Amino acid sequence: MDYNYLAELLYPHIKTTPEDMEKKYPARDLPEGARVMRIAPSPTGYLHIGALYQAMANERSAHLSGGKFYFRIEDTDSKREVQGAAELFITMFGKYGIKFDEGAVIDGDDGNYGPYRQSQRTEIYQTFAKKLVQDGRAYPCFCTDEEIEAIRKQQEEAGDNPGYYGKYAKWRDASIEDIETALKEGKPYVIRLKSMGDASKRVKVTDAIKGELEFPQNEQDFVILKSNGTPPYHFAHAVDDHLMHTTHVMRGEEWVATLPWHVELFDALGFKRPVYCHTATLMKLDGGSKRKISKRKDPEADLAFYIKEGYPKDGLLEYVMTLLNSNFEDWRRANPTAPMTDFQFSFKKMSVSGALFDIQKLYDVCKDVVSRMTAEEVYENVTAWAKDNDPEFYELLEADKAYAVEILGIGRGGKKPRKDFGLWSEVKAYMGFFYDALFTGNKDYPENLDKAETKKILEKYVDIFDENDEQNVWFDRLKALADSEGYASDMKAYKQDPAAFKGSVADIAMMLRVAVTGKQVSPDTYCVMKILGKERVLGRISTAAAEL
Ligand code: GLU
């Protein structure tokens, strides 16, 4: 067979050669040991939480080595592609502060190794496919779906492995005449790799996360170009990661099964193999057993969920890092305020068996992260969230920033900051009572408090309240009121003989708390009163008393 003749027959329009491509994509000028890594999602609609997991691991690994991290869009499967998904990915990664050195951007490309959208790289793929045809390592296959199905049935009956290989590979040794006839008839065809593998022999790969992997060699003549001339994942991966000089290919472990394909492809193309790093699938607990996080069943599969629900960006990043590296939590405890970029991320600390995503733990991490923020930072974040999700609250926050920041400052700073909320969506419930428009009244007294007593205490308090009191004076006033009304001002005395009192100063404080905040749990009542101001405090307490 004259393979050059066949190659010209199939690709008369391809005038470029692999050498041209090598020139166009020269080696990168990077120091020894610098890693070039990427993420390459397929734009199939939404960004899975696993993509953030991958992005962070790649970004950290590349940048800690002094290398590059880029973004490629794998959009060769037009059947699965969702319009606007690529743009959504770019925006979403931007929101999470994932920084790419190069790659696809909203309106094109940024970098010297593009195009970074695979749909724009057809000529490049065909250049290499043509070369493989010239080398006798690829050939056209005109099998219809029905024929492929018939092969499958035959294999089932014979108890043979499924696939297109060896004696089942109908077009592998077709004559040039048969090929020309089929071409003349306009039959659609794919290009297949002519595998030289032998499944009775083994191939070994050292995975940077999973360690030594060993498989039977590939023997499948798998498709490298589809009938529309575009490549499936496998071929695009080999060509792109070679030309873009990716040193480490990190991807989900679902690609381990086809690793022998990739090994054979890289060899056939004469490319140096990258280091493979296969990451464990993110799992969740469901009724006691582990399973994959799925888009269909789990809203938390979609990164957009976290934005909508008001998860702090840094909380999610921080939590994902705990999933990525088992020693991150210890590091964080030892370095509570250090930026995450100081952490020495490593493949060695990545889970091999399946990281368990625990949304409750994420929430706790968010609470910690928020508790370390300044009031101003919390304000900016809550306001940004409310702008998109709660216009009523947004207007209130916007109308008086100083007031909101003062509220958010309660219990902040110091060794043990308050941890009242973990999500921006919880802030309204936490601080809403500070706004008359959101204050829902004050009927939520604990059951043990007598109504008439509460009314009396509230009425008395109106007369003794002084907005200029320091905290200790304020509390002394409460204690004096307690004593005069038969409540214990000393908690020890109360505990020793509760029957001797109507209650304790804690009950009095609770009456006031409920009257001014409407809630039994709130930030410090003294601080609350200070911020609410005399008029509101007295107004609320009087109204509360009147309603009892
Ligand atoms: N487009 C592939 C995916 O979404 C990327 C795999 C890779 O990173 O090589 O799974």
Side-chain angles (χ1 to χ4, degrees), residues 367-380:
K367 271 190 163 179
D368 284 343
V369 165
V370 173
S371 78
R372 291 197 293 264
M373 290 180 176
T374 64
E376 180 95 19
E377 282 169 331
V378 175
Y379 173 81
E380 296 303 340

Side-chain angles (χ1 to χ4, degrees), residues 38-42 54 72-74 118 233 237 241 249-252 254-255:
R38 84 297 190 272
I39 50 158
S42 305
Q54 294 267 355
R72 186 168 73 220
I73 294 177
E74 303 210 327
Q118 290 184 332
Y233 169 76
H237 149 53
D241 282 316
V249 167
M250 181 181 284
R251 59 186 184 188
E254 64 275 19
W255 297 109

Side-chain angles (χ1 to χ4, degrees), residues 339-350:
M340 205 158 64
T341 42
D342 285 1
F343 173 69
Q344 288 301 308
F345 169 82
S346 111
F347 291 154
K348 293 203 175 60
K349 300 284 182 188
M350 285 182 83

